[in-house]
Amino acid sequence: MKRLVALALITLLAGCATQGKSESQIFDEAATAHVMSLPAGANKVRLHSVKIASHGVIGDMLATVLGGGANAGQLRQELLNAQRLGDSGFLIIGARSSIDVAVVENACEGLGLQGMNIYYAGTEAQQDKVRHAVEKAQARFHFINTQ
């Protein structure tokens, strides 16, 4: 029994240590895609970004149950600020866990983000659920794989 618990813990910790793209690489990929989506001659390019904070496995589970908590409120406010400024690009760097879905769903709930391009950097496991939340808010969804 002890070996099984130890094996599960090692597997969990190894999964947490998996390296993917750096934040700089993610931002560069999103910025390049966003610039390519702009109409010719656009002279104002701004890409807002928010990183969803991870609170560890147990903390993320609790935050997910609570609908993303403060992370959802922060993301919602930043989306509204970008929209108010007339900016069309927004990057969400996910925590690579199920908290991403809860945060994005609750942040986008009831918003009308027409004309906005939202770039979600996360894992394929959350991609479809995040896409659904973004498209429900009438924004265009773009996925960036963090691996």
Side-chain angles (χ1 to χ4, degrees), residues 34-45:
H34 184 57
V35 167
M36 300 299 285
S37 75
L38 295 173
N43 58 3
K44 181 177 106 176
V45 177

Side-chain angles (χ1 to χ4, degrees), residues 106-118:
N106 285 316
C108 291
E109 184 67 34
L111 294 182
L113 301 173
Q114 300 88 341
M116 194 169 254
N117 289 297
I118 297 182

Side-chain angles (χ1 to χ4, degrees), residues 115-131:
M116 194 169 254
N117 289 297
I118 297 182
Y119 302 86
Y120 166 67
T123 63
E124 291 179 2
Q126 283 79 34
Q127 178 184 2
D128 289 335
K129 290 180 181 176
V130 172
R131 173 190 305 273

Side-chain angles (χ1 to χ4, degrees), residues 60 63-69 72 97-107 130:
D60 284 356
T64 299
V65 169
L66 297 173
S97 74
S98 61
I99 192 172
D100 294 359
V101 176
V103 168
V104 175
E105 282 179 343
N106 285 316
V130 172

Side-chain angles (χ1 to χ4, degrees), residues 2-145:
K2 287 182 184 180
R3 287 184 183 179
L4 182 59
V5 171
L7 181 61
L9 182 60
I10 290 169
T11 303
L12 175 68
L13 293 176
C16 292
T18 302
Q19 294 296 316
K21 294 178 186 172
S22 70
E23 284 184 38
S24 177
Q25 290 171 316
I26 291 168
F27 190 84
D28 288 347
E29 188 174 333
T32 300
H34 184 57
V35 167
M36 300 299 285
S37 75
L38 295 173
N43 58 3
K44 181 177 106 176
V45 177
R46 251 193 318 229
L47 180 65
H48 298 261
S49 65
V50 165
K51 181 177 180 182
I52 298 173
S54 176
H55 308 287
V57 175
I58 295 173
D60 284 356
M61 282 189 237
L62 291 172
T64 299
V65 169
L66 297 173
N71 287 333
Q74 177 193 5
L75 176 57
R76 182 181 191 85
Q77 189 59 50
E78 292 296 326
L79 286 166
L80 290 170
N81 287 341
Q83 186 180 44
R84 181 182 49 76
L85 292 170
D87 296 330
S88 62
F90 201 96
L91 169 62
I92 301 170
I93 300 174
R96 300 180 186 167
S97 74
S98 61
I99 192 172
D100 294 359
V101 176
V103 168
V104 175
E105 282 179 343
N106 285 316
C108 291
E109 184 67 34
L111 294 182
L113 301 173
Q114 300 88 341
M116 194 169 254
N117 289 297
I118 297 182
Y119 302 86
Y120 166 67
T123 63
E124 291 179 2
Q126 283 79 34
Q127 178 184 2
D128 289 335
K129 290 180 181 176
V130 172
R131 173 190 305 273
H132 178 73
V134 166
E135 290 177 347
K136 188 175 177 184
Q138 302 171 349
R140 288 182 297 279
F141 176 84
H142 307 272
F143 177 68
I144 297 171
N145 193 333

